[in-house]
Amino acid sequence: MPTAIIADDERLMRDQLRMRLGQVWPELEIIGEAKNGDEAVELVDQLKPDFTFLDIRMPGKTGMEAAAVIGNKSHIVFVTAYDAYAVEAFERGAVDYVLKPPEQERLQITVDRLKTRLATPAADMNASVTAMLSQLAEKITAPKPSYLQWIQASIGQDLRMIPVEEILFFRSDEKYTCVQTERYEALIRKPVRDLAEELDPALFWQIHRATLVNVNAIEGVTRDIRGRHLVMIKGKPDKLEVSRSFLHLFKQM
């Protein structure tokens, strides 16, 4: 059976990648997990996995630094949330990668590539790939932003990691907060007042004591027959009420 280790400083991301890999490649045995690059290097030496899934940004040794040490001892697969600029570079450099959060369809493509590599020796980081990764290093290894990047939410009995930029709005009731994306609705227990302090205020505007809206999802503002201001959401029938104290946000619109 092919073997692998997973290195990521976030336990939830390790758990989710393990679960997704089990779905698309049940024959792959995950024989170890690491919380940082140093532990990943040690596990490769001890366990000699066929594949090593390395989060690019970790404390201690980064994923790139760990890959340089691992060399050709294991096939390297980078795990990254930086699809905006990293994916194109990875493709050009013929480096295998997984995007956060790992989606089954995209992960299947990576797995198909990895299966073809089982019959060949692991390639060391060649000069062109090393140079390409070095160009990305400054942005990728920059300090993590203080704002939330992911929301862990429930859909029925399942937990899902949702990138905040995919969320259209949050709306709370007495017990739960609804997390609305373009494709589905999920639930969390954190109230809007706490979310407002943890989300980037340039991306999410609080328009009501119980509502936060993604500014990129706003189609416009209208008024109903009662004189209330309502935010219209792109592609959705939802209209979100704006409290009087937050009307100043829309003076520029």
Side-chain angles (χ1 to χ4, degrees), residues 56-153:
I56 287 182
R57 189 171 62 185
M58 291 185 290
K61 278 188 176 66
T62 66
M64 288 182 290
E65 291 168 340
V69 176
I70 291 168
N72 61 0
K73 298 175 185 176
S74 179
H75 293 282
I76 299 297
V77 185
F78 287 113
V79 183
T80 178
Y82 297 90
D83 57 311
Y85 54 86
V87 169
E88 183 181 354
F90 289 165
E91 294 280 14
R92 286 202 300 264
V95 175
D96 286 306
Y97 64 92
V98 173
L99 291 178
K100 291 184 179 183
E103 295 291 343
Q104 187 167 340
E105 184 177 348
R106 179 60 188 82
L107 190 56
Q108 184 66 62
I109 295 173
T110 297
V111 164
D112 291 342
R113 290 176 179 173
L114 298 182
K115 288 179 178 179
T116 66
R117 299 197 174 194
L118 272 173
T120 62
D124 204 344
M125 302 284 281
N126 61 51
S128 62
V129 174
T130 302
M132 176 269 294
L133 291 174
S134 295
Q135 293 173 3
L136 297 174
E138 183 176 348
K139 290 183 179 179
I140 291 177
T141 60
K144 292 185 179 181
S146 57
Y147 301 120
L148 288 178
Q149 300 297 301
W150 310 90
I151 295 292
Q152 181 184 354

Side-chain angles (χ1 to χ4, degrees), residues 205 215 218-221 231 249-253:
W205 287 356
V215 296
I218 297 175
E219 184 175 35
V221 182
V231 168
L249 295 170
F250 300 95
K251 288 183 178 179
Q252 59 191 0
M253 299 184 69

Side-chain angles (χ1 to χ4, degrees), residues 146-212:
S146 57
Y147 301 120
L148 288 178
Q149 300 297 301
W150 310 90
I151 295 292
Q152 181 184 354
S154 300
I155 302 177
Q157 298 300 311
D158 298 324
L159 288 177
R160 185 164 299 190
M161 293 291 289
I162 309 173
V164 295
E165 63 268 20
E166 293 183 7
I167 298 170
L168 303 178
F169 59 84
F170 298 87
R171 185 161 52 187
S172 292
D173 60 19
E174 292 181 2
K175 190 174 182 181
Y176 294 101
T177 295
C178 163
V179 181
Q180 182 68 57
T181 74
E182 185 175 348
R183 294 178 295 146
Y184 52 80
E185 177 181 293
L187 295 174
I188 58 176
R189 290 185 178 273
K190 183 173 292 190
V192 159
R193 66 175 179 272
D194 292 342
L195 286 167
E197 296 177 359
E198 299 175 8
L199 291 165
D200 185 351
L203 181 61
F204 283 92
W205 287 356
Q206 183 167 8
I207 60 171
H208 188 278
R209 61 180 176 81
T211 310
L212 286 164

